[in-house]
Amino acid sequence: MKAQYAILRFAKYKGPEIGHIESHNERTKEKYASNPDVDTSRSHFNFHLVTPQRKYRAEAEKQIAEAGCRTRSDSVRVVEALVTASPEFFKGKKKSEVKAYFQEALDFIREHQDPKNIISAVVHMDEKTPHMHLCFVPLTEDKRLSAKEIVGNKKKLTQWQDRFWEHMVKKYPDLERGESASETGRDHIPPRVFKEMTRLTKQKTKLEELLSGVNAFNAKGKAAEIGAFLDKYIPAVEQMHTTLKKYNTAFTVTTAENKKLKKKTEQLEQSLDKATQESTLKKLADAKLHRDYEDAVAVLDRIPKEVLAAYTHRTEKERETAYGR
């Protein structure tokens, strides 16, 4: 199962370029030479969640004037939020389900930006991956024009990413945060990884069953069956190793800490607030995931040397045949 990311990006626009993004977003041009991904035969599937009342620049200037803001030539008048998800997320989804995703994203932005400031929110279905262009005038609550304060620096953008993912994952639990854990240092492990570990644990149980029936007399006969199973099992273990390495910040829980966590869990109802409960239970779940992985690796050490020798010999022979072609 491939990772599915919730994606939110921002861009700032000051002057004439506002007209260019409007032409793209509202599909007012007949051809899009600069973007060959646009399939105009599918443009009738595009839809608005917020329909613009006038031209983007005119609407922005109107709102800015009503707020009594002074502007300079380099003032950011329009901020565009691009909302989408990984292509895998949209596979097999009906238009109503796609619309529901973008409506949820719009609801999130409305929570953090005055809905009156939103000029347009249009979903494009005529490119490779469905996505929404949402444009708003960056007015603060106290009616100042400040894109810097709203979407601002790296810290502010990280907060937007965090809140966006936290909002969307409630309805779409398989979604991961838009940036990789290696870049952000986050320790969130998505549900997808736990599902993969469940499958690996089932495979481990099957391998244990195969190994339990092996003895000195039938080892050679069982080698082919176990070898065929290892062809799937070993890559699955390696894949899990790579995945857990990505989320290594989650595995700082020692055995001693584990005991403390279990003790805490017994006292949750009496003494801990909901946020602490969730944090503690999350750490326990992450620690169990790590233990399950270690168990999946440990079972490989229990393979009889006769079986392992036959498997190693077979794989080496296959490699030699492949190189000899």
Side-chain angles (χ1 to χ4, degrees):
M1 189 189 295
K2 283 189 177 180
Q4 298 178 3
Y5 296 103
I7 297 167
L8 171 66
R9 298 192 190 108
F10 291 103
K12 302 172 189 175
Y13 298 100
K14 300 173 182 178
E17 68 269 33
I18 295 171
H20 300 318
I21 64 160
E22 180 179 353
S23 295
H24 174 81
N25 295 358
E26 304 301 327
R27 294 294 191 255
T28 57
K29 294 192 288 185
E30 289 182 14
K31 292 183 180 178
Y32 296 87
S34 63
N35 190 347
D37 288 340
V38 176
D39 179 358
T40 52
S41 69
R42 291 179 49 80
S43 294
H44 63 283
F45 292 117
N46 296 346
F47 58 91
H48 282 86
L49 293 177
V50 176
T51 304
Q53 299 303 301
R54 51 185 62 81
K55 294 283 188 182
Y56 287 14
R57 179 70 184 264
E59 178 62 30
E61 297 294 1
K62 177 178 177 288
Q63 290 192 25
I64 292 165
E66 286 174 353
C69 300
R70 290 182 180 179
T71 59
R72 300 188 307 269
S73 60
D74 64 346
S75 296
V76 174
R77 290 163 169 81
V78 172
V79 170
E80 181 183 62
L82 174 71
V83 177
T84 185
S86 305
E88 292 75 23
F89 173 79
F90 293 107
K91 278 183 181 172
K93 282 188 169 51
K94 298 173 185 174
K95 185 177 178 179
S96 59
E97 293 171 312
V98 172
K99 186 176 181 179
Y101 174 79
F102 290 113
Q103 183 63 56
E104 195 63 39
L106 173 60
D107 292 345
F108 162 77
I109 291 174
R110 280 174 169 160
E111 286 177 13
H112 299 278
Q113 188 62 30
D114 190 336
K116 294 192 197 80
N117 299 149
I118 297 173
I119 297 171
S120 174
V122 58
V123 176
H124 287 170
M125 303 290 283
D126 57 1
E127 294 180 58
K128 285 183 179 176
T129 304
H131 57 275
M132 177 168 70
H133 293 278
L134 185 150
C135 291
F136 64 89
V137 183
L139 289 165
T140 62
E141 285 184 14
D142 58 354
K143 299 300 178 185
R144 286 177 296 108
L145 186 67
S146 180
K148 186 177 180 182
E149 187 169 314
I150 293 167
V151 295
N153 54 23
K154 193 174 179 181
K155 185 180 178 183
K156 194 83 176 178
L157 287 169
T158 299
Q159 289 173 349
W160 271 100
Q161 292 283 353
D162 287 342
R163 288 170 184 160
F164 178 61
W165 174 78
E166 285 163 5
H167 179 95
M168 299 304 285
V169 80
K170 290 173 188 172
K171 281 203 174 178
Y172 305 98
D174 285 341
L175 282 176
E176 299 184 30
R177 191 181 180 280
E179 294 171 19
S180 70
S182 59
E183 290 172 356
T184 62
R186 289 179 60 83
D187 63 358
H188 164 71
I189 300 175
R192 169 181 63 86
V193 178
F194 288 92
K195 288 177 187 174
E196 286 170 5
M197 181 56 80
T198 300
R199 283 196 291 272
L200 184 59
T201 300
K202 285 178 181 175
Q203 284 182 296
K204 183 207 76 166
T205 304
K206 173 68 177 172
L207 181 56
E208 286 175 329
E209 288 172 6
L210 289 171
L211 293 174
S212 66
V214 177
N215 55 51
F217 301 104
N218 66 5
K220 283 188 179 179
K222 288 273 188 181
E225 185 184 1
I226 294 171
F229 191 83
L230 290 175
D231 284 340
K232 296 176 183 176
Y233 186 73
I234 290 174
V237 172
E238 288 173 346
Q239 179 59 47
M240 184 55 68
H241 172 74
T242 302
T243 302
L244 295 189
K245 208 172 171 186
K246 178 182 173 184
Y247 297 103
N248 63 350
T249 50
F251 299 124
T252 56
V253 184
T254 64
T255 306
E257 285 172 329
N258 241 350
K259 286 179 182 176
K260 287 179 188 174
L261 284 171
K262 284 179 181 176
K263 194 173 181 182
K264 269 190 180 181
T265 308
E266 293 166 7
Q267 303 164 344
L268 285 178
E269 294 303 324
Q270 294 84 21
S271 60
L272 299 179
D273 61 31
K274 191 179 178 185
T276 312
Q277 287 181 34
E278 288 173 356
S279 173
T280 304
L281 292 170
K282 179 186 177 303
K283 285 180 183 176
L284 281 169
D286 291 354
K288 181 182 182 303
L289 183 73
H290 200 204
R291 285 196 305 274
D292 287 346
Y293 166 72
E294 288 174 343
D295 289 345
V297 174
V299 72
L300 294 171
D301 294 331
R302 300 204 291 275
I303 299 173
K305 59 184 179 181
E306 299 92 346
V307 174
L308 198 57
Y311 177 71
T312 306
H313 177 70
R314 179 174 68 81
T315 51
E316 283 176 355
K317 204 167 181 181
E318 285 172 358
R319 276 198 297 271
E320 285 169 9
T321 305
Y323 292 138
R325 283 175 186 165

